[in-house]
């Protein structure tokens, strides 16, 4: 779980960095999209590295989702009878919503891939072969941006607890100081990733990127 | 003060249980929570109704017998054991819901009493140092740095009450297990069996049907001995080391 | 070191016979296993001369151990390691919860790690003296001797004792002793020691040598052809009555302080295991010897169910007082001017002041409260509490200084009473804490019944009439780890024992008697709960057989207890059924035994017309009103044989002979 989660963190950080190329304008962004496909050539065939990354991510996703469901099942088996009154006193909302938050991310991921990668659906009905244009068209629709922002909120929460949790799971937090550092790291990763991803749609919606 | 109590009643392990409502009067705020239940039980006995069964023994917060879920909080609103909770933490007229620990590894035996023998079996799996009586070297043969001794002591104060499991949304016993692994792992005496210990204890834990830890942190907040979350981190690290060492 | 019979005292010649008419005199008792020779060699020689059991035969030998406290837990683990087949019983849901867990202060051992002149002989000497010369020399010497092995064993198990910066073990001095020999783990020594024993026990469970029976209460001893061969126990979760047979039975079932209803003992502590054995013929020795601890949190009201002890170390800095005038007793203590306060211990005992021994501090607290000068809430007709005031110490050491020393105790006090002791003086009152009486055993820890061994607080303790702090833990572990495993093998070497099974008439009879008794308890259907009888018994015991006893008081108590017993068996109300978890039924059985024990305690106290150890006999005091012992009359162990429900107990006296130590009267003025 922790390992696959960390793979995702690495991925989303890189992915977010890539997205920020949108601020460099159409050319720079499309170049990046193209570069993604040609990197490693001629050692690898076209899109080779991209496919390796994709396979890695798919594997991580399978592992991650499978572990998530295994934990979910174990938890519900471990407490078949629920409490009549339940009060929480120490846990963050994000730690308690990892599963539903994860599912939200999963649902979003499906749409996201349909949108930009596999099918390339342009919800505004425009061009689909120019990545930059596809992005601008999408985020010019206010409700697409909203969906995207909601997903980023879910991602932020997932990462807020996920980063800390991964540090605990890997055994890096044996002191009070280490634990607060891990909690801080959770905040930083959550804000940077979700914040970074949100910039592009917001700036597109408000016309800075067009 | 006068109180309304909603209490889980269940005649035996297989019977279906249900919440029942009772009223107690003239409770003094100096009484402990269990003494308040004693009053209820005297009253029930007089009325010819079966008294409420609950576990308790030392009534001074050290044996770990008492184990009530009070208004959704393990051991109630204070950071202490149920037996050390006093009625001054409640208000006149309050309605209080009392339930047993809920975990499939802690099946209900009667009313508020659950079977926590799974904890004993986790200890059997490796929560000890293998040294036969009489085989020990002089106590001063191995000095132990004060900081290690202190850390070991602090986590060895676990009373095995099970509040961590009761409070955990996953029903995991990782805090209990981590406390023992950290206690023995901090001391030179615990080193030789360190790898096997963690592997076997975790296997037994999972086998008992406790849930997996997702580091939510409710356990440590409910723990009357304030065992910190580090012990779970230590548990994970020891497990990783053990697996790397081929266990 | 004296090794010859230098100090041979007069065997007892009892003149007074206060208990005349309450008992039948019996034949004198001698410990036939008592060792001889130089005191320092006695244990070594015994270990050597005791027979060995072939390892191959051990697996076939079954031992039942009732109790998983320090004594029982340690014994079960050790016998399991040796390869015997052990069945271990406790009434709690886990062996780890035995009452030993609650001991706070520490454990003594003659390690002399501080190089302050300690030695086995000095620990031996201090313990005999602390026991007011009412213990056996050889036993105490052995205790002091194995004390050092205990520490080694516990450290090897991972018991996290307090350590110094250099990594070596720390010691403190405890209970007025001149040397630092007490090992401790903050205020939770008992817990840490017990967890060590528990883990050793669970290791043997995993190894298959020990089987644990938790939530099982022993309700009868099975005697076959004069030998202890098993127990009848009730599975407290299902109500099933089970028969467990073995080749030897060990009782390590702890103390019976709960006969006083309010005590620092756990709620479940009981006398049932030992009392059932007593009724089957085992002698009960010195039942009236109890330890009363002066610094407990006072009773707050009628519903109080138990008392909580606070470490005695508080007396090092707190000053004890009550108002001079009874009318000041309900005032805010901070408003009572200095000249209206009576620092009574400092007044009566100028040289020891607030640090007088436990029994004196306790008794004087009771006296001032009886005079109507107690403080705190009214409980019945009296206020039962005295102030333990830290304001001078706070002025002297600062709040930080006090916090560093007593923080956890102050917190505990505040949690229980709701008062902040940094601002308002604490209130304390004595409470029953430990009993030295118990089943009589010989040097090998075998009772007068063959095959029945008794260890820990359940036997009549090695430390005699008084209890110094930190000795009981030592005895529990000494018995469990080192003594019993070495002595029981001498008995087990007589194997094979006659094969028996559940159909044996004596076994079936024992089981039936348990079932009948339970049926009887459930069938009375009267109006009073077992708890209410327990409370009433406790009042009687505390009033007349507590810190201070007198002949008329004890006679009155015996009459009251007899009446209570008759009422109990005709007016008890126990709901529920026999075949389910039934806490009221458990309680009723225990109270029934406590009532019988209470009567015997009073008879024993009546007979012992001397002030000794923890208790004060009004008829035996010096001109200044201090405790007066009568070595000429009472230097003996009073071992009582059950005389039948209609008969009288039979008194057997075992004389105590001192050869290595001279008997001295004590003085604290
Ligand atoms: C609050 C407190 C503080 C203390 N502090 C100190 C201290 O600082 N130093 C010191 O030396 N001593 C101290 N003592 C005394 C000491 O703790 C005890 O004397 C000692 O622990 C007794 O150990 P044990 O093994 O004999 O019995 P226990 O620990 O009492 O164990 C009794 C066992 O017998 C079982 N049992 C009892 N009856 C039955 C039955 N009928 N059927 C089945 N099982 C049964 C119980 O389940 C339990 O497992 C303290 C005592 C108290 C109460
Ligand atoms: C596909 C949908 C996803 C689902 C269903 C999901 C679900 C879960 C669940 C249930 C947990 C366990 C809770 C815990 O350990 O506290 C978890 C942990 C975690 N997740 Fe996800 N997640 C998903 C996607 C992601 C993504 C995209 C990332 C990274 C950007 C991520 C990063 C993490 C991390 C770092 C952890 C902590 C691992 C640990 O503690 O061992 N997850 N996830
Ligand atoms: S870790 Fe805390 S909550 Fe869990 S069993 Fe131990 S003392 Fe109880
Ligand atoms: S009854 Fe012992 S901890 Fe509460």
């Amino acid at each position: 779980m922790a390992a696959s989660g960390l793979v995702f963190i690495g991925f989303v950080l890189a992915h977010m960095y890539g997205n920020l190329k949108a601020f460099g304008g159409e050319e720079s962004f499309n170049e990046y999209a193209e570069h993604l496909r040609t990197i490693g050539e001629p050692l690898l065939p076209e899109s080779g590295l991209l496919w390796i990354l994709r396979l890695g991510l798919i594997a991580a996703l399978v592992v991650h989702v499978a572990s998530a469901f295994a934990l979910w099942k174990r938890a519900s088996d471990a407490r078949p009878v629920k409490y009549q009154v339940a009060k929480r006193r120490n846990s963050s909302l994000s730690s308690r919503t990892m599963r539903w938050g994860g599912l939200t991310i999963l649902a979003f991921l499906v749409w996201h891939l349909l949108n930009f990668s596999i099918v390339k659906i342009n919800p505004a009905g425009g061009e689909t072969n120019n990545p930059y244009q596809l992005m601008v068209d999408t985020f010019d629709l206010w409700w697409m941006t909203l969906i995207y922002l909601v997903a980023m909120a879910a991602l932020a929460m997932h990462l807020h607890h996920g980063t800390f949790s991964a540090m605990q799971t890997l055994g890096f937090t044996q002191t009070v100081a280490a634990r607060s550092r891990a909690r801080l790291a959770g905040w930083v990763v959550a804000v940077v990733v979700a914040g970074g991803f949100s910039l592009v749609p917001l700036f597109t919606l408000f016309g800075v990127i067009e | 003060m006068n109180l309304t109590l909603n209490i889980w009643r269940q005649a035996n392990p297989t019977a279906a249980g249900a919440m029942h409502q009772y009223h107690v009067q003239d409770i003094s705020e100096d009484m402990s929570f269990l003494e308040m239940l004693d009053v209820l039980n005297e009253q029930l006995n007089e009325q010819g109704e079966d008294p409420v069964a609950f576990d308790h023994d030392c009534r001074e917060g050290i044996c770990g017998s008492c184990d009530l879920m009070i208004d959704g909080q393990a051991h109630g609103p204070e950071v202490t054991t149920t037996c050390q909770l006093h009625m001054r933490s409640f208000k006149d007229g309050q309605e209080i819901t009392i339930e047993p620990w809920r975990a499939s590894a802690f099946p209900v035996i009667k009313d508020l009493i659950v079977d926590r023998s799974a904890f004993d079996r986790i200890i059997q799996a490796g929560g000890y140092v293998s040294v036969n009586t009489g085989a020990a070297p002089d106590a001063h043969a191995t000095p132990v740095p004060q900081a290690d001794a202190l850390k070991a002591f602090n986590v060895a104060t676990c009373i095995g009450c099970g509040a961590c499991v009761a409070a955990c949304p996953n029903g995991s016993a990782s805090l209990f297990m981590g406390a023992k692994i950290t206690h023995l792992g901090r001391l030179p005496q615990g080193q030789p069996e360190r790898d096997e210990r963690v592997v076997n204890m975790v296997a037994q834990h999972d086998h008992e049907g406790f849930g997996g830890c997702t580091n939510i942190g409710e356990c440590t907040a409910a723990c009357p001995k304030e065992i910190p979350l580090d012990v779970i981190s230590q548990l994970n690290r020891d497990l990783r080391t053990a697996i790397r060492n081929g266990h | 070191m004296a090794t010859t019979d230098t100090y041979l005292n007069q065997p007892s010649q009892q003149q007074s016979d206060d208990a005349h008419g309450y008992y039948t005199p019996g034949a004198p008792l001698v410990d036939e296993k008592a060792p001889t020779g130089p005191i320092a060699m006695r244990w070594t020689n015994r270990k050597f001369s005791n027979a060995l059991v072939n390892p191959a035969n051990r697996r076939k030998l079954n031992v039942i151990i009732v109790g998983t406290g320090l004594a029982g837990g340690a014994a079960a683990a050790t016998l399991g390691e040796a390869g015997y087949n052990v069945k271990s019983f406790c009434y709690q849901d886990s062996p780890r919860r035995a009452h030993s867990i609650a001991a706070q202060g520490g454990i003594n051992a003659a390690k002399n790690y501080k190089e302050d002149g300690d030695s086995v002989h000095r620990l031996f000497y201090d313990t005999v003296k602390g026991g007011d010369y009412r213990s056996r020399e050889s036993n105490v010497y052995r205790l002091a001797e194995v004390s050092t092995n205990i520490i080694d064993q516990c450290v090897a198990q991972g018991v996290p004792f307090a350590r110094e910066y250099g990594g070596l073990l720390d010691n403190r001095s405890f209970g007025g002793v001149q040397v630092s020999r007490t090992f401790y783990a903050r205020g939770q020594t008992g817990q840490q020691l017990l967890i060590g024993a528990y883990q050793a026990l669970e290791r043997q469970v995993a190894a298959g040598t020990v089987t644990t029976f938790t939530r099982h209460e022993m309700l009868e001893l099975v005697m076959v052809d004069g030998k202890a061969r098993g127990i009848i126990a009730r599975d407290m979760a299902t109500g099933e009555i089970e028969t467990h047979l073995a080749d030897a039975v060990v009782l390590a079932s702890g103390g019976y302080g709960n006969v006083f209803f309010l005590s620092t003992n756990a709620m479940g502590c009981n006398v049932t295991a030992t009392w059932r054995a007593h009724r089957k013929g085992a002698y009960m020795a010195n039942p009236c010897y109890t330890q009363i601890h002066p610094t407990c949190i006072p009773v707050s009201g009628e519903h109080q169910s138990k008392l909580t002890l606070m470490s005695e170390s508080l007396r090092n800095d707190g000053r004890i007082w009550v108002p001079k005038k009874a009318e000041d007793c309900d005032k805010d203590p901070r408003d009572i001017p200095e000249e209206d306060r009576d620092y009574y211990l400092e007044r009566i005992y100028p040289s020891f002041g607030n640090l007088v021994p436990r029994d004196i501090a306790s008794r004087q607290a009771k006296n001032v409260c009886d005079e109507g000068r107690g403080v705190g809430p009214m409980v019945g007709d009296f206020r039962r509490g005295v102030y333990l005031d830290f304001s001078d110490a706070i002025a002297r050491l600062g709040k930080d200084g006090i916090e560093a020393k007593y923080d956890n105790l102050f917190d505990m006090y505040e949690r229980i009473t709701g008062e902040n002791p940094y601002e308002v003086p604490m209130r304390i009152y004595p409470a029953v804490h430990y009993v030295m009486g118990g089943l009589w055993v010989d040097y090998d820890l075998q009772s007068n019944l063959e095959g029945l061994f008794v260890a820990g607080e359940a036997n009549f303790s090695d430390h005699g009439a008084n209890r110094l702090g930190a000795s009981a833990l030592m005895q529990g572990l000494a018995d469990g780890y080192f003594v019993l495993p070495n002595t029981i093998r001498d008995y087990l070497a007589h194997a094979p024992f006659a094969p028996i099974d559940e159909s044996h008439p004596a076994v079936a009879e024992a089981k039936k008697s348990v079932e009948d008794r339970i049926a009887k308890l459930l069938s009375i259907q009267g109006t009073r709960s077992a708890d209410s009888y327990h409370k009433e018994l406790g009042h009687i015991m505390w009033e007349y057989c507590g810190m201070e006893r007198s002949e008329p008081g004890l006679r009155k108590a015996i009459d009251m207890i007899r009446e209570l017993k008759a009422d109990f068996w005709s007016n008890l109300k126990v709901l529920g059924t026999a075949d389910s978890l039934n806490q009221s039924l458990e309680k009723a059985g225990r109270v029934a035994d406590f009532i019988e024990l209470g009567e015997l305690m009073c008879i024993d106290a009546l007979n012992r017309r001397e002030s000794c150890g923890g208790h004060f006999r009004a008829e035996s005091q010096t001109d200044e009103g201090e405790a007066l012992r009568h070595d000429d009359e009472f230097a003996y162990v009073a071992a009582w044989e059950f005389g039948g429900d209609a008969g009288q107990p039979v008194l057997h006296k075992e004389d105590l002979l001192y050869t290595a130590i001279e008997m001295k009267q004590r003085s604290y003025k």
Side-chain angles (χ1 to χ4, degrees):
Chain A
M1 181 110 276
S4 54
L6 288 181
V7 167
F8 290 149
I9 292 182
F11 164 73
V12 288
L13 279 171
H15 183 19
M16 179 208 66
Y17 171 74
N19 284 6
L20 294 182
K21 298 266 184 207
F23 286 100
E26 181 164 358
E27 208 160 310
S28 141
F29 186 81
N30 284 350
E31 216 171 79
Y32 153 72
E34 178 59 23
H35 178 66
L36 273 183
R37 282 162 181 79
T38 52
I39 191 171
E41 273 180 52
L43 264 171
L44 296 166
E46 172 163 347
S47 295
L49 185 69
L50 194 59
W51 272 110
I52 292 180
L53 286 175
R54 279 175 180 160
L55 285 175
L57 284 170
I58 289 170
L61 188 67
V62 169
V63 168
H64 198 80
V65 174
S67 326
F69 278 99
L71 275 171
W72 201 334
K73 165 125 183 26
R74 273 183 70 191
S76 59
D77 287 352
R79 179 162 302 127
V81 184
K82 301 279 172 279
Y83 291 110
Q84 311 269 335
V85 182
K87 227 178 247 163
R88 299 286 168 225
R89 48 178 159 193
N90 188 48
S91 46
S92 58
L93 180 65
S94 54
S95 70
R96 280 178 272 126
T97 49
M98 288 302 270
R99 285 161 201 155
W100 291 109
L103 283 185
T104 310
I105 298 172
L106 189 60
F108 167 74
L109 197 63
V110 172
W111 161 247
H112 186 62
L113 292 178
L114 294 176
N115 186 184
F116 290 121
S117 173
I118 304 170
V119 185
K120 297 192 200 290
I121 301 170
N122 189 330
E127 197 183 348
T128 58
N129 276 335
N130 179 341
Y132 183 80
Q133 212 44 57
L134 180 58
M135 183 192 78
V136 172
D137 283 355
T138 303
F139 294 132
D140 269 340
L141 297 171
W142 67 269
W143 53 273
M144 273 312 307
T145 301
L146 191 68
I147 290 179
Y148 200 86
L149 290 181
V150 168
M152 286 311 107
L155 183 61
M157 284 177 63
H158 200 82
L159 289 177
H160 167 248
H161 180 69
T163 307
F164 164 75
S165 182
M167 294 301 112
Q168 272 279 118
T169 305
L170 294 173
F172 297 140
T173 41
Q174 268 127 52
T175 60
V176 178
R179 248 193 346 271
S180 32
R181 273 199 302 276
R183 295 238 188 248
L184 184 67
W187 279 106
V188 171
V189 172
V191 170
V192 168
V193 171
F197 273 129
S198 305
L199 287 180
V200 175
L202 282 174
F203 278 70
T204 310
L205 183 63
F206 294 115
V208 181
I209 299 173
E210 49 191 24
Chain B
M1 56 175 96
N2 300 335
L3 301 164
T4 302
L5 307 173
N6 297 315
I7 302 182
W8 179 262
R9 302 302 308 263
Q10 180 175 338
N12 58 55
T14 50
M19 298 301 285
H20 282 241
Q21 197 167 71
Y22 303 97
H23 299 276
V24 284
Q25 272 87 38
D26 296 329
I27 298 298
S28 125
E29 59 170 29
D30 285 329
M31 279 183 198
S32 71
F33 195 83
L34 298 184
E35 283 164 359
M36 182 275 293
L37 289 181
D38 290 344
V39 171
L40 171 68
N41 277 346
E42 262 312 287
Q43 186 179 311
L44 290 178
N45 199 60
E46 250 160 56
Q47 296 162 359
E49 194 177 334
D50 200 16
V52 179
F54 58 90
D55 257 328
H56 64 110
D57 201 23
C58 75
R59 293 205 178 183
E60 45 182 273
I62 193 74
C63 73
S65 294
C66 58
D67 54 353
L68 301 182
M69 199 71 176
I70 301 166
D71 278 339
Q73 291 178 300
H75 291 307
E78 317 281 345
V79 180
T80 186
T81 55
T82 305
C83 61
Q84 290 292 82
L85 176 67
H86 284 74
M87 295 314 291
R88 65 183 76 90
S89 300
F90 299 87
K91 288 189 296 287
D92 185 30
Q94 198 171 329
E95 187 168 330
I96 307 174
T97 300
I98 311 172
E99 297 173 77
W101 285 174
R102 292 288 187 201
S104 55
F106 289 166
V108 173
I109 298 177
K110 182 177 179 182
D111 297 342
L112 302 170
I113 296 186
V114 299
D115 177 357
R116 286 171 288 187
S117 53
F119 271 11
D120 291 334
R121 290 187 294 273
I122 291 179
I123 297 296
Q124 282 158 26
Y128 47 74
V129 173
S130 295
V131 54
N132 280 3
T133 302
D138 185 86
H140 267 181
T142 323
V144 182
Q146 199 186 38
D148 288 342
L150 198 64
K151 174 79 191 189
F153 170 79
N154 282 338
V155 297
T157 55
C158 163
I159 55 175
C161 62
C164 44
V165 175
C168 174
N170 290 312
S172 171
S174 290
L175 196 69
F176 165 77
M177 197 166 42
K180 186 50 57 195
I181 278 162
T182 309
H183 160 208
L184 297 176
R186 272 286 170 141
L187 297 172
Q189 290 81 8
Q191 299 314 311
E193 295 162 292
R194 192 165 173 178
D195 286 355
E196 284 159 65
R197 175 179 307 124
V198 66
V199 170
N200 294 338
M201 284 175 76
V202 169
Q204 187 66 33
H205 169 275
D206 295 356
H207 176 75
E208 295 291 346
F210 291 107
C213 174
T214 62
N215 304 305
I216 292 175
E218 285 294 341
C219 52
T220 178
C223 174
K225 299 295 147 179
E226 301 178 69
I227 304 290
L229 227 42
D230 339 346
V231 302
I232 297 183
S233 187
Q234 183 74 58
L235 167 93
N236 289 326
R237 168 172 275 196
D238 280 16
L239 187 62
R240 209 152 42 88
T241 313
I243 291 170
R244 198 173 343 109
N245 291 346
H247 278 276
Chain C
M1 191 188 299
T3 51
T4 51
D5 292 4
T6 354
Y7 306 120
L8 191 65
N9 68 306
Q10 286 288 305
S12 60
Q13 296 295 325
Q14 187 174 340
Q15 310 292 319
S16 54
D17 194 7
D18 285 2
H20 179 77
Y22 288 98
Y23 76 101
T24 315
L29 181 64
V30 229
D31 174 4
E32 280 164 7
K33 304 272 183 51
T36 52
I39 195 158
M41 289 307 294
R42 287 177 189 171
W43 178 232
T44 308
N45 290 341
R46 173 57 50 93
K47 278 190 289 185
F48 180 73
S49 62
N50 272 352
L52 295 173
V53 179
N54 180 337
N57 288 340
R58 294 183 197 159
R59 204 58 249 147
K60 293 176 229 148
L61 287 163
N62 300 304
V63 180
I64 284 174
I65 302 182
V66 180
T68 59
L70 291 179
T78 306
L79 291 174
E81 287 161 10
Y84 298 100
N85 201 11
V86 178
K87 283 184 173 179
S88 154
F89 293 80
C90 67
Y91 69 73
Q92 293 92 344
D93 68 332
S94 165
R96 67 181 293 150
R97 307 201 202 285
H99 186 55
S100 297
I101 200 108
Q104 302 175 351
I107 178 165
N108 284 337
K111 277 286 196 185
N112 194 26
Y113 280 158
K114 294 280 169 194
E115 287 292 350
D116 55 2
D118 199 12
S119 63
V120 168
H121 202 81
R122 188 176 300 280
L123 175 55
F124 158 63
Y125 176 82
D126 288 348
T127 309
V128 169
K129 188 163 152 246
D132 241 356
Y133 303 93
R134 291 294 175 269
S135 46
R136 287 191 195 133
E137 252 183 12
S138 307
N139 293 47
V140 177
Y141 197 92
R142 172 176 67 188
L143 183 63
E145 207 179 324
V146 302
S147 68
T148 59
N149 307 354
I150 294 175
I151 302 302
D152 298 342
Q153 184 63 31
C154 294
V155 166
Q157 289 170 342
V159 171
F161 284 120
R163 289 185 181 259
E164 299 169 338
Y165 283 111
L168 298 178
L169 293 161
D170 194 16
N171 291 140
R172 60 182 171 201
S173 99
F174 202 74
V177 177
Q178 318 273 341
V179 293
S180 283
R181 62 159 75 103
T182 306
F183 293 77
Y184 65 100
R186 207 172 298 158
Q188 279 143 271
T189 318
Q191 179 195 29
Q192 295 308 315
L193 297 174
L194 185 66
I195 296 297
Y198 159 72
Q199 288 172 188
L201 174 78
E202 294 297 354
R203 171 176 166 241
Q204 290 311 305
V205 173
T209 57
V210 177
T211 314
T212 47
F213 295 84
T214 57
R215 289 195 200 274
H216 273 66
E217 184 167 29
M218 164 183 168
L219 294 176
E220 194 54 278
L221 176 71
V222 175
M223 293 292 297
V224 176
D225 299 331
K227 291 192 174 70
R229 292 302 301 273
I231 63 169
I232 308 294
R234 179 169 179 273
D235 179 334
M236 295 155 78
T238 64
E240 196 180 331
I241 305 298
E242 299 172 357
T243 305
H244 296 271
L245 300 175
D247 299 304
V249 176
V250 179
L251 300 185
S253 51
Y256 51 75
N258 274 348
V259 66
F260 292 90
F261 184 70
L262 286 182
S263 80
T264 64
N265 284 9
M267 303 300 286
C269 288
N270 66 87
V271 74
T272 293
T274 49
W275 191 257
R276 294 284 119 195
H278 172 63
R279 291 178 60 99
K280 284 271 168 116
Y283 297 168
M284 181 63 88
N286 301 331
C288 80
Y289 284 178
T290 44
Q291 243 287 322
I292 291 173
H293 201 288
T295 53
C296 299
I297 299 177
V299 177
S300 71
E302 278 301 319
H303 295 293
Q304 185 105 12
S305 58
K306 80 152 278 169
L307 296 171
T308 304
L309 175 124
M310 285 187 302
S311 168
E312 233 175 339
S313 59
L314 289 170
R315 286 200 281 146
N316 291 333
D317 288 303
R319 293 180 72 196
I320 296 175
W321 63 276
V322 289
K324 281 186 178 156
K325 297 176 272 185
E327 61 270 26
D328 284 349
C329 288
D330 52 357
K331 281 195 187 152
D332 183 329
R334 290 167 294 187
D335 296 340
I336 301 177
E338 205 52 36
E339 63 272 18
D340 288 337
R341 300 177 175 191
D342 180 10
Y343 294 91
Y344 58 90
L345 288 178
E346 297 170 22
R347 173 171 57 80
I348 311 174
Y349 309 96
S351 56
F352 277 77
N354 295 300
L355 292 175
V356 290
R358 287 179 173 178
D359 56 316
I360 297 180
S362 302
R363 199 171 68 244
Q364 295 298 358
K366 179 169 189 291
N367 287 345
V368 293
C369 293
D370 287 349
E371 286 166 20
R373 295 194 289 142
V375 295
M378 278 288 202
V379 177
D381 300 334
F382 287 98
R383 295 177 200 278
R384 296 253 167 243
V386 301
Y387 290 123
L388 177 62
D389 195 335
F390 285 85
S391 44
D392 286 359
I394 292 174
R396 187 162 33 93
L397 303 170
K399 193 179 167 213
D400 295 348
I402 293 297
E403 216 169 65
K405 276 178 143 168
Y406 305 116
D407 193 33
N408 57 344
L409 293 169
F410 277 43
D411 281 354
M412 175 169 86
Y413 181 85
E414 185 168 3
R415 194 164 52 236
I416 294 175
T417 62
E419 290 172 5
N420 179 351
Y422 289 106
E423 306 199 329
V424 201
M426 273 187 183
R427 288 173 293 109
I428 55 166
Y429 200 65
V432 173
H433 170 58
Y434 176 77
V435 296
M436 287 80 78
L439 291 185
W440 183 89
V441 288
D442 62 20
Y443 186 71
D444 281 356
L445 302 185
Q446 183 168 221
S447 72
N448 58 307
L449 301 180
E450 240 184 284
L452 178 69
F453 291 77
V454 193
E457 197 175 332
N459 69 26
F460 80 114
S461 309
D462 283 343
H463 23 269
N466 197 0
R467 178 188 155 269
L468 294 169
S471 309
L473 297 182
M474 175 168 69
Q475 191 213 341
L477 288 179
D479 285 1
Y481 283 131
F482 298 105
V483 179
L484 185 89
N486 277 302
T487 56
I488 200 171
R489 63 178 152 86
D490 195 52
Y491 178 76
L492 292 172
H494 294 109
F497 298 90
I500 50 167
D501 61 25
E502 294 197 20
S503 63
H504 189 287
V507 181
E509 195 281 325
K511 184 171 182 195
K512 180 155 187 311
S513 74
V514 168
E515 286 162 349
D516 290 351
R517 187 157 180 268
I518 288 174
K520 169 79 185 153
L521 288 168
L522 285 166
S523 69
I524 303 170
Q525 297 287 350
T527 60
R528 281 183 67 182
S529 70
D531 221 41
S532 76
Y533 285 104
H534 193 185
K535 250 182 212 175
E536 192 173 335
L537 174 70
H539 279 301
I540 301 173
M541 294 303 292
W542 181 242
E543 206 46 49
Y544 303 108
C545 198
M547 286 175 272
E548 182 168 338
R549 297 136 183 210
S550 70
E551 188 186 333
L554 288 164
R555 287 179 187 281
K556 184 168 166 197
I558 295 170
D559 289 343
M560 290 168 84
I561 295 172
R562 287 178 179 171
E563 270 171 43
L564 189 71
K565 182 175 171 183
D567 192 59
F568 177 92
W569 286 103
S570 58
N571 198 17
L572 174 74
K573 179 173 184 181
V574 182
L575 297 170
T577 58
D579 59 357
S580 66
L581 192 150
N582 187 339
Q583 291 177 315
S584 316
L585 178 64
E586 294 160 16
K587 175 97 208 205
R590 293 174 194 162
V591 173
D593 291 333
F594 276 136
I595 293 176
E596 293 181 12
L597 167 77
E599 182 180 336
L600 184 68
M601 285 173 74
C602 291
I603 294 174
D604 185 43
L606 185 60
N607 174 58
R608 192 167 283 277
R609 190 194 181 92
E610 67 163 344
S611 300
C612 123
H615 60 82
F616 187 79
R617 203 31 215 270
E619 293 86 0
S620 179
Q621 45 182 307
T622 65
D623 294 342
E624 293 104 40
E626 291 309 316
L628 183 64
R629 232 173 51 216
H630 288 293
D631 293 340
D632 49 344
E633 288 192 68
F634 293 103
Y636 66 78
V637 175
W640 298 90
E641 181 184 348
F642 184 64
D645 278 318
Q648 289 177 336
V650 182
L651 173 61
H652 301 274
K653 298 179 186 174
E654 179 199 335
D655 282 325
L656 292 168
L657 301 177
Y658 286 89
T659 60
I661 288 183
E662 186 183 4
M663 286 178 148
K664 289 196 185 114
Q665 281 284 353
R666 54 184 190 152
S667 164
Y668 290 97
K669 282 258 170 164

